Every structure is written in C-alpha cells, then in structure tokens.
Amino acid sequence: HKAQLLQYLQMMSQAEYSVVFFTAFFANKVEHESRHCNGKGLQRQGSSSFERVYTANQNCGHAYPTFLAVLWCAGLLCSQAPAAFAGLMYLFVRQKYFVGYLGERTQSTPGYLFGKRIILFLFLMSVAGILNYYLVFFFGSDFEIHIKTITSAISPLLLIP
C-alpha cells in the first residue's frame, strides 16, 4: 500500500512540475515580448503582440488552480493513471491555446475547448470517486475496479479533437 502511495505521489508530482515549467515558460515569453516592444523591463503597455502574450499568460495562470484542484481530486478519489494522462494532455492543450492566442484569437479556440473537455473529464472522475466512497460507506458496494476500468478506457478518447 505504501508503494502504491509513493507511485501516486510521483505521478501527480510530475504533473505539478510540468505546470511550474509551463508557467515559467509563459512568463518568460511575456518578459521577452515586453523587452522586445519597449526595450526596458516588464511594462504593461506595449504593442498588440505584447498584449496578446500578456493576456494569454494571464488566462493560463487563472486556469491552473482549477486544473490542479480537479487533477489532485481525480487522482486521489478515482484513478491515478488516467488522471495523470489527462493532466499531461491538459498541459499540452494549454500550450496549444497559448501559441494559438499569439496568432489570431480564433486560433486559440480549439485549445480552449479541448481544455474544457479535459477539465470536465477530471471533474467527472472526482465525482465518480466521491460517489463510490458513499456507496461503500452506506451500502458496502465497491465499484472502484469498474470505475478505474472505465476511466482507463475513456482517457485515450481525450486525444480525439
């Protein structure tokens, strides 16, 4: 049981470190664009390209707390492997959103919608885990194996655009 907990923590920590990496990457893009447009340090006013980079960075930063909450809940309450897979997919989708936002704003829409679908999947995994807990608590019926099988089968469907 201890080995399973350590494996779980390792998988979730990898997703956490990926969030840190992408946050640093996006912040670096904002700083670079600010220096490129203004020739000085980070300033809020700038060209439209700076505004797009800054806005994309802010949008990604605002989405990460929700993502981390549902990622940890899905992993803790339901199944670690599909949650970790969905977490990594979400990070790649946010990268697509960020890059799309740098072009035309309509190019960011597919990444945004794909990210919403992944967040919904993680949320539903959390709800399934909570429902299973109450089924065990009140009725003694444990559907954990079935839930893990279903989430493992459904998680590759997240790759379909």
Side-chain angles (χ1 to χ4, degrees):
H1 191 35
K2 184 178 178 181
Q4 185 182 15
L5 177 63
L6 289 175
Q7 180 185 13
Y8 165 73
L9 289 175
Q10 181 186 18
M11 288 172 44
M12 290 295 139
S13 296
Q14 289 171 359
E16 289 280 341
Y17 289 128
S18 299
V19 168
V20 170
F21 170 76
F22 279 110
T23 302
F25 172 75
F26 295 152
N28 187 40
K29 292 290 281 184
V30 170
E31 181 181 0
H32 173 72
E33 194 63 36
S34 174
R35 290 178 193 262
H36 182 266
C37 293
N38 300 320
K40 303 175 190 168
L42 180 64
Q43 293 182 355
R44 181 71 169 90
Q45 294 81 22
S47 69
S48 63
S49 64
F50 171 74
E51 289 296 323
R52 285 195 309 268
V53 170
Y54 183 82
T55 303
N57 182 47
Q58 291 297 101
N59 291 347
C60 289
H62 293 154
Y64 282 136
T66 303
F67 161 66
L68 291 175
V70 294
L71 174 69
W72 277 96
C73 289
L76 278 173
L77 302 173
C78 190
S79 181
Q80 297 89 9
F85 175 74
L88 290 174
M89 287 299 304
Y90 183 79
L91 293 176
F92 289 122
V93 164
R94 287 313 279 189
Q95 171 69 14
K96 180 179 172 89
Y97 169 80
F98 188 84
V99 171
Y101 210 93
L102 299 182
E104 295 294 320
R105 291 190 183 201
T106 56
Q107 293 175 340
S108 66
T109 304
Y112 175 75
L113 296 175
F114 202 38
K116 280 179 49 177
R117 185 169 51 172
I118 293 171
I119 293 290
L120 177 64
F121 174 72
L122 291 169
F123 175 75
L124 292 175
M125 283 181 64
S126 302
V127 169
I130 292 169
L131 290 175
N132 186 54
Y133 170 79
Y134 283 113
L135 286 173
V136 170
F137 186 76
F138 289 116
F139 303 110
S141 300
D142 190 1
F143 293 98
E144 182 179 3
I145 293 172
H146 301 294
I147 292 171
K148 285 184 178 185
T149 302
I150 291 169
T151 56
S152 295
I154 290 175
S155 63
L157 296 177
L158 293 173
L159 295 172
I160 298 172

